[in-house]
Amino acid sequence: MEQFNPFSLKGKQILVTGASSGIGRGIAIACSKMGASVLINGRNEKRLEETLQLMEGENNKPVVADLSNLDMVKNMVSELPMLDGIVHCAGIGQRVLCRQLQKQDVDEMIDVNFKAPVLLQTEILKQKKVNKSASIVFIASIAADSPTIGNSMYCASKGAIISYAKCLSIELAPRLIRVNCISPAMVWTDLIFKGGITEEQLREDEKKYPLKRYGTPEDIANLSIYLLSDASSWMTGSNVKLTGGVNKL
């Protein structure tokens, strides 16, 4: 008799974007360990292959596409199987003072962190690639309501995706499709070194966290497993802050 596990992802087809590194890679690996067949998306084929080698199971597959290119997105979605879970994780960081922002800074951040996941999700819905009772997860950030100097466009992009996700959750509720966000505080990935911050400065800052450390991709992955699994079948429209106890406001 198979042991009951409400967090199992066995038999589920899950798409993870931004899976070539960082949080996305951690989520993809964790989902495979929980029995899912995982489609991993990124722009860099070599790095996706590196992620693939760290995953468990035989049914995982890399899907190379630049999500800012609508033609590539349409082609990618047309080749996807029916999905039981989607994790929108692809994103970039940026630190530019408000008075120094240029149009290209605004466009780049909004295009990658907001437009790309929204238009990908739109195409997935248009092509009817989401199963009933599926789960959609957006990786946002506590930056949405925790302002820091030079981080305005990143904060704005994450705030926008949270608002979008809440509307999407209402629209998809009749099909029992759940939509939730995870908003981490600082997580040890390459992204946090944007803007010239040194590791020494970051190590000093993490001491201020009640749990005395920043998060890891595995921390975010474990919460993602819960949201993707049937264990969270009564949870939608939520934005879960995962912070190690820190309160940035």
Side-chain angles (χ1 to χ4, degrees), residues 26-160:
I27 292 171
I29 294 168
C31 287
S32 73
K33 290 179 178 179
M34 293 301 291
S37 297
V38 189
L39 298 110
I40 53 174
N41 163 260
R43 292 178 295 179
N44 189 312
E45 186 173 2
K46 181 180 177 182
R47 294 177 74 180
L48 281 181
E49 286 293 337
E50 291 172 359
T51 300
L52 194 64
Q53 295 305 312
L54 297 170
M55 298 169 69
E56 294 185 6
E58 303 292 323
N59 299 316
N60 307 306
K61 179 182 176 183
V63 185
V64 181
D66 181 347
L67 299 184
S68 65
N69 184 316
L70 280 179
D71 289 333
M72 292 185 74
V73 168
K74 289 178 181 179
N75 290 335
M76 181 188 85
V77 173
S78 70
E79 296 175 2
L80 293 175
M82 293 297 294
L83 298 172
D84 303 293
I86 304 164
V87 183
H88 293 278
C89 192
I92 58 172
Q94 176 198 83
R95 283 196 178 268
V96 181
L97 294 173
C98 290
R99 68 173 182 271
Q100 295 174 346
L101 282 169
Q102 298 184 33
K103 183 177 183 299
Q104 66 186 39
D105 299 318
V106 178
D107 288 345
E108 181 182 32
M109 187 61 55
I110 298 302
D111 285 350
V112 175
N113 286 6
F114 180 68
K115 286 185 182 179
V118 167
L119 294 177
L120 170 59
Q121 186 59 56
T122 300
E123 191 62 33
I124 289 172
L125 294 173
K126 280 182 179 179
Q127 294 193 32
K128 299 180 179 179
K129 291 297 181 91
V130 187
N131 282 322
K132 185 179 179 180
S133 301
S135 175
I136 300 169
V137 179
F138 291 88
I139 305 302
S141 170
I142 65 164
D145 54 13
S146 300
T148 54
I149 293 172
N151 213 24
S152 62
M153 285 300 98
Y154 182 79
C155 293
S157 69
K158 293 302 185 179

Side-chain angles (χ1 to χ4, degrees), residues 192-223:
I192 65 173
F193 291 97
K194 294 287 184 180
I197 300 175
T198 66
E199 182 173 347
E200 184 179 4
Q201 290 172 313
L202 294 170
R203 291 292 180 190
E204 194 62 32
D205 182 65
E206 75 173 345
K207 294 176 184 177
K208 301 173 185 176
Y209 281 50
L211 293 182
K212 303 302 179 186
R213 69 174 180 89
Y214 286 170
T216 66
E218 291 73 24
D219 292 319
I220 315 307
N222 288 336
L223 180 53

